[in-house]
C-alpha cells in the first residue's frame, strides 16, 4: 500500500483534510484465521471478522436497543461532562482517535476543546478509508477551526500508526479510545496494547479510555442477548460471511446464539452452539461439530477499580481522572503517560 495519499476535496478544505494510508501489518487472511480457529480445541473465531457491511449495520442496530446501555452511557458522559473533560486535557492539545468510525461521540469533545483553543488538529484512525473520508469532511465542514489528518490502518499496533504521522509538536497529545473496544482484548493483550501505545507518546501525553464496568448479570446479559434477536443475528453473521466468502456450508438454523456473564473472569462471552452433531465444509476442508459444541466468537471484559489500575500500570500510565454516567455503568478515564 502507498504510505501517503492526499484525498481530493473542495479547494476550500484541501489543506484541512489529508488521508494517509499506513503500511499494512503482516497479517493472516480471513480464510487462514477461520481455519485456524475452527480446527482449534475449543473452537473460536476472531471478533473483528463480525464487521463486514452487514455486520456493521447490525451493530449499529444493537446500539439502538433498549437493553444495550453501553453507547448511551458513554454518550451521556461525553455530552454532560465534555467541558470538564476538555479542561482536564489542558489548554493546548491535539487529539488522535483509535477506531474513530463516524466520530459521532467525539464531536462532544471537539466542540468543548474548540471552546478553549482557536484550532484543533485531529488524527482519526480506522481501517475503513471510506468512513474516514466521509466523517472527516463532515467534521471540517461543521468545525471551521478543525483540521484532520485521517490515518487508514489497523490500530492493533497503535505506535506504528502514530509515530510516522504525528509530527513533533509542543502541544499535548491526547489519544481517544472510546466505547468498550478495550474489553474485546484479554487482560494481557489489553495491557500490551497500552504499553505499545505508550512508546509513541511523550511523558505527560494521555490516553482517554472508555471502559465498561462490572455490574449485575441481570443488566449485562440482556445487552448481549436481546429479545428481538439482533445480537443473535450479528453473531451468526460471521457464519454467513464464511459461507459467502469461503464457500462454507453452515446451516444457520442449526447454530444457537449464547451469551453469558463469566463472573470468575469478569467478562461476557458470546458463543455459537451447534444444536446437532454435524459436519461443515469450508473451502475444501471439513469441520466436525458435536451436539452442544460451541464456537467462541467474542469476549467483552468488564472492569472494576482494581482491574483498571492493573491495566493502566501495565501500559505505564497512571489514572488521573475518571468520569462515569449517572447509573455507574460505564467509565471514561484520563490515563497520563508516566
Amino acid at each position: 500500500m502507498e504510505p501517503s495519499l492526499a484525498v481530493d476535496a473542495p479547494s476550500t478544505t484541501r489543506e484541512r483534510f489529508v488521508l494517509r494510508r499506513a503500511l499494512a501489518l503482516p497479517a493472516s487472511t480471513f480464510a487462514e484465521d477461520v481455519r485456524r480457529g475452527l480446527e482449534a480445541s475449543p473452537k473460536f473465531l476472531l471478533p473483528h471478522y463480525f464487521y463486514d457491511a452487514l455486520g456493521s449495520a447490525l451493530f449499529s442496530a444493537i446500539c439502538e436497543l433498549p437493553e444495550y446501555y453501553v453507547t448511551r452511557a458513554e454518550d451521556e458522559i461525553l455530552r454532560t461532562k465534555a467541558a470538564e473533560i476538555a479542561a482536564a486535557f489542558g489548554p493546548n492539545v491535539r487529539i488522535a482517535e483509535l477506531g474513530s468510525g463516524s466520530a459521532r461521540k467525539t464531536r462532544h469533545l471537539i466542540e468543548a476543546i474548540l471552546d478553549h483553543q482557536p484550532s484543533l488538529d485531529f488524527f482519526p484512525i480506522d481501517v475503513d478509508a471510506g468512513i474516514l473520508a466521509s466523517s472527516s469532511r463532515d467534521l471540517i465542514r461543521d468545525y471551521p477551526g478543525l483540521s484532520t489528518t485521517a490515518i487508514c490502518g489497523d490500530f492493533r499496533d497503535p505506535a506504528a500508526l502514530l509515530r510516522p504521522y504525528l509530527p513533533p509538536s509542543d502541544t499535548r497529545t491526547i489519544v481517544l479510545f472510546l466505547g468498550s473496544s478495550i474489553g474485546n482484548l484479554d487482560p494481557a493483550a489489553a495491557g500490551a496494547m497500552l504499553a505499545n501505545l505508550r512508546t509513541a507518546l511523550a511523558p505527560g501525553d494521555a490516553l482517554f479510555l472508555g471502559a465498561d464496568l462490572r455490574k449485575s448479570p441481570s443488566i449485562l446479559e440482556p445487552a448481549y442477548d436481546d429479545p428481538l434477536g439482533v445480537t443473535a443475528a450479528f453473531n451468526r453473521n460471521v457464519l454467513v460471511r464464511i459461507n459467502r466468502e469461503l464457500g462454507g456450508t453452515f446451516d444457520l438454523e442449526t447454530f444457537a446464539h449464547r451469551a453469558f456473564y463469566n463472573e470468575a473472569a469478569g467478562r461476557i462471552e458470546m458463543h455459537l452452539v451447534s444444536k446437532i452433531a454435524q459436519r461443515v465444509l469450508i473451502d475444501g476442508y471439513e469441520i466436525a461439530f458435536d451436539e452442544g459444541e460451541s464456537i467462541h466468537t467474542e469476549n467483552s471484559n468488564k472492569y472494576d477499580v482494581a482491574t483498571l489500575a492493573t491495566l493502566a500500570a501495565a501500559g505505564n500510565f497512571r489514572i488521573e481522572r475518571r468520569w462515569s454516567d449517572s447509573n455507574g455503568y460505564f467509565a471514561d478515564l484520563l490515563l497520563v503517560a508516566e
Side-chain angles (χ1 to χ4, degrees):
M1 301 174 69
E2 56 190 1
S4 177
L5 174 66
V7 174
D8 290 339
S11 58
T12 56
T13 62
R14 184 178 298 277
E15 294 181 358
R16 293 174 53 214
F17 169 44
V18 175
L19 174 65
R20 302 192 181 278
R21 296 185 184 273
L23 294 176
L25 291 174
S28 52
T29 66
F30 179 45
E32 290 168 341
D33 283 340
V34 166
R35 184 163 190 166
R36 178 171 61 91
L38 294 182
E39 289 184 341
S41 182
K43 294 178 172 64
F44 70 91
L45 291 169
L46 298 175
H48 60 267
Y49 289 125
F50 282 136
Y51 297 96
D52 62 356
L54 178 55
S56 295
L58 286 167
F59 183 72
S60 294
I62 288 169
C63 292
E64 302 299 325
L65 294 170
E67 296 82 9
Y68 193 76
Y69 60 84
V70 178
T71 303
R72 290 188 300 277
E74 187 174 39
D75 190 70
E76 178 195 323
I77 296 168
L78 299 179
R79 178 170 41 83
T80 62
K81 306 292 186 181
E84 186 178 321
I85 294 167
F89 287 172
N92 185 24
V93 303
R94 60 183 179 179
I95 59 174
E97 183 173 5
L98 304 179
S100 58
S102 67
R104 182 178 63 84
K105 288 186 291 187
T106 316
R107 285 172 171 260
H108 298 302
L109 296 176
I110 290 171
E111 291 172 6
I113 293 168
L114 286 172
D115 284 341
H116 290 83
Q117 59 189 62
S119 62
L120 174 64
D121 291 329
F122 179 39
F123 299 82
I125 299 168
D126 204 280
V127 295
D128 187 334
I131 199 166
L132 282 171
S134 62
S135 62
S136 294
R137 288 194 175 105
D138 287 345
L139 288 168
I140 61 173
R141 179 197 65 214
D142 294 342
Y143 304 106
L146 186 72
S147 296
T148 65
T149 299
I151 304 167
C152 183
D154 187 330
F155 62 78
R156 288 177 292 178
D157 183 1
L161 297 180
L162 293 174
R163 281 198 202 100
Y165 301 123
L166 269 69
S169 172
D170 59 359
T171 60
R172 186 188 197 191
T173 300
I174 310 289
V175 177
L176 313 179
F177 195 21
L178 304 179
S180 58
S181 296
I182 192 68
N184 292 141
L185 301 175
D186 66 43
M193 181 181 178
L194 264 59
N196 172 287
L197 170 65
R198 172 63 187 85
T199 65
L201 301 177
D205 289 342
L207 168 65
F208 187 72
L209 178 69
D212 197 16
L213 302 178
R214 295 188 181 185
K215 57 188 73 70
S216 167
S218 66
I219 298 167
L220 286 167
E221 291 183 348
Y224 295 84
D225 192 10
D226 61 279
L228 277 178
V230 182
T231 312
F234 173 73
N235 198 8
R236 290 192 190 95
N237 181 60
V238 71
L239 305 184
V240 175
R241 182 174 179 184
I242 293 171
N243 287 352
R244 182 180 67 247
E245 297 184 25
L246 304 178
T249 61
F250 280 101
D251 179 356
L252 271 60
E253 295 300 319
T254 65
F255 283 86
H257 167 70
R258 183 180 180 222
F260 64 93
Y261 183 55
N262 181 333
E263 191 158 2
R267 70 190 187 199
I268 285 283
E269 294 185 14
M270 289 208 320
H271 295 255
L272 290 165
V273 182
S274 181
K275 299 177 184 178
I276 59 173
Q278 59 179 306
R279 293 180 178 273
V280 176
L281 293 175
I282 305 169
D283 199 22
Y285 61 94
E286 187 176 73
I287 299 294
F289 290 88
D290 295 329
E291 182 180 354
E293 186 177 7
S294 81
I295 308 169
H296 191 167
T297 54
E298 185 178 48
N299 290 325
S300 184
N301 288 279
K302 309 304 175 185
Y303 293 90
D304 57 17
V305 171
T307 52
L308 285 169
T310 299
L311 176 64
N316 199 20
F317 290 90
R318 61 178 171 83
I319 300 174
E320 183 172 275
R321 295 287 300 274
R322 169 177 165 161
W323 294 266
S324 188
D325 63 289
S326 56
N327 290 315
Y329 288 171
F330 195 91
D332 281 309
L333 302 101
L334 186 62
L335 277 61
V336 178
E338 296 278 42

